[in-house]
Amino acid sequence: MAHRTDGARKHERIAADLRARIHSGELRDGDRLPGENALMEQYGVARMTARQALAALQAEGVAVAH
């Protein structure tokens, strides 16, 4: 059970970091977000965790998939 909680925290932290980069203007409308592989390497997480972070931003309408 603790593993699931840790994973949730990780994807929420990644989404929060990306959201902050968007709101600060570092990432602008139309810019590509880092992909799953880049997030896996940068944060040391599994693909599913990176995917969940990106999906959270899409669900919020902050990012769109192309």
Side-chain angles (χ1 to χ4, degrees):
M1 190 72 128
H3 180 70
R4 227 181 243 177
T5 302
D6 291 346
R9 288 187 193 138
K10 287 179 186 176
H11 90 265
E12 290 169 0
R13 183 181 56 127
I14 295 167
D17 285 352
L18 292 172
R19 196 179 301 107
R21 291 175 64 191
I22 292 166
H23 292 304
S24 74
E26 181 182 343
L27 291 170
R28 297 185 180 156
D29 193 22
D31 284 352
R32 273 186 90 116
L33 293 177
E36 291 174 6
N37 290 337
L39 294 175
M40 290 167 56
E41 185 175 323
Q42 181 178 352
Y43 291 93
V45 296
R47 182 172 304 280
M48 183 56 76
T49 303
R51 188 173 292 158
Q52 287 173 323
L54 295 171
L57 294 176
Q58 291 172 14
E60 295 169 19
V62 175
V64 295
H66 288 278

